[in-house]
Amino acid sequence: MAVAFNIDFNNLYEIDNISTDLRWSSFRSNLNNGQEIPLVVKISNESHALLPNVYNLAFGPLNPKGKIDDKAELNHADYSKVFSTILFSALAYLNNNPDHYLGIDGSDNARAYFYYRAIQRNFRYLDQHFRIFGIKYFVRITRFGKTQYDNPFDFEDIMPYPFKIEKGSRISQDQMYNYFIFNLKD
Amino acid sequence: MNKSIERKLAALTKKAKEHGRKAEAKAPVSSSLHKVIKTKEQADLFMKLLKEA
């Protein structure tokens, strides 16, 4: 996914299906091979008991079981239009639910880095509409082991910590955020 | 937000409310963030940090 794109909410695919609560929408993207593929944008519809205003956003083609395949590798003819349409769906949802936050999982380091680069490239535009945070997960060190075989990390005790993403902030691929969250700018 | 985007948002919202498909049945949220937060104290601290960041 080493491709650069520009977000522009005036350059969108037609959203041909949407749910009444704006959590589900679909549009058709043209691929480089001339095919057209339906893509779905889905916002989770049940909040976490402990995080009542944070919802997950996923997008991609549907697999044969009707689930979003967020690891599908597609060659879109117009990445700018694809990602602009996905984020416009998110903007429409947040516009109707201004106290909610939307989150995107970086399923692996490469994808998370791709998202981060895209945020940086489009920061000025995105910053007009959203507050964007990168989340890192920190694991507690219980104590340093007496021998090299002792495990000092408590992987049951993890603290997610949000960092506001700013223009030009730098982070290496190895230390990439685990999760991205955004909400509507005041 | 410029007027053109405001109009597009209003049109999409109208389309959803008037002609949108029925909202899907509720399904539990599944994300890495939701998996690592296990206690109310953790969640409250995280939301506090998020609002202050």
Side-chain angles (χ1 to χ4, degrees):
Chain A
M1 285 179 79
V3 61
F5 56 83
N6 297 314
I7 300 297
D8 178 358
F9 294 147
N10 286 306
N11 175 34
L12 305 171
Y13 281 113
E14 172 80 20
I15 293 176
D16 42 30
N17 253 313
I18 188 162
S19 62
T20 51
D21 57 5
L22 290 99
R23 289 179 180 270
W24 189 100
S25 59
S26 72
F27 63 93
R28 282 161 287 157
S29 167
N30 300 317
L31 302 183
N32 273 337
N33 63 9
Q35 283 186 317
E36 199 178 59
I37 187 166
L39 296 180
V40 168
V41 182
K42 188 176 179 181
I43 294 162
S44 56
N45 63 0
E46 187 163 302
S47 64
H48 187 275
L50 300 171
L51 291 173
N53 288 340
V54 181
Y55 296 86
N56 206 48
L57 182 146
F59 52 86
L62 294 179
N63 67 19
K65 291 182 178 173
K67 303 276 184 193
I68 290 178
D69 179 3
D70 61 2
K71 292 186 172 62
E73 293 196 5
L74 302 170
N75 289 312
H76 297 285
D78 190 339
Y79 281 86
S80 294
K81 212 165 176 176
V82 168
F83 281 95
S84 296
T85 309
I86 291 166
L87 283 173
F88 185 76
S89 300
L91 180 65
Y93 175 80
L94 289 174
N95 209 40
N96 282 273
N97 300 277
D99 58 334
H100 288 189
Y101 292 81
L102 295 180
I104 297 177
D105 246 321
S107 51
D108 54 49
N109 254 10
R111 190 163 292 237
Y113 191 60
F114 170 77
Y115 293 153
Y116 179 73
R117 294 289 303 269
I119 291 166
Q120 282 297 338
R121 181 181 173 87
N122 291 281
F123 188 85
R124 192 169 293 176
Y125 194 86
L126 293 173
D127 189 53
Q128 295 172 46
H129 303 283
F130 305 115
R131 296 166 72 228
I132 308 171
F133 307 88
I135 315 297
K136 283 187 178 183
Y137 303 152
F138 294 99
V139 177
R140 179 172 176 253
I141 296 179
T142 52
R143 61 192 55 80
F144 290 103
K146 290 175 186 160
T147 75
Q148 60 179 319
Y149 301 110
D150 288 345
N151 178 5
F153 302 108
D154 180 359
F155 289 103
E156 293 300 310
D157 193 354
I158 303 171
M159 183 59 211
Y161 195 95
F163 296 86
K164 188 162 191 301
I165 296 179
E166 302 286 0
K167 176 68 185 160
S169 55
R170 291 187 179 184
I171 178 169
S172 73
Q173 187 167 345
D174 294 341
Q175 296 173 330
M176 188 42 56
Y177 301 115
N178 300 87
Y179 194 75
F180 295 93
I181 281 189
F182 59 101
N183 70 336
L184 215 54
K185 198 155 189 176
D186 296 331
Chain B
M1 192 182 297
N2 72 40
K3 294 287 177 199
S4 162
I5 296 170
E6 278 181 10
R7 277 197 298 272
K8 284 175 196 279
L9 285 172
L12 185 61
T13 302
K14 187 170 187 283
K15 182 176 179 174
K17 304 287 181 200
E18 293 179 1
H19 306 290
R21 55 186 260 173
K22 193 179 166 193
E24 291 190 347
K26 292 200 172 202
V29 59
S30 169
S31 77
S32 60
L33 177 68
H34 292 90
K35 281 176 192 155
V36 300
I37 290 192
K38 292 174 179 163
T39 66
K40 186 172 184 312
E41 289 71 26
Q42 255 185 320
D44 290 348
L45 176 58
F46 176 74
M47 289 310 294
K48 180 174 180 286
L49 292 169
L50 191 59
K51 283 171 184 167
E52 290 173 354

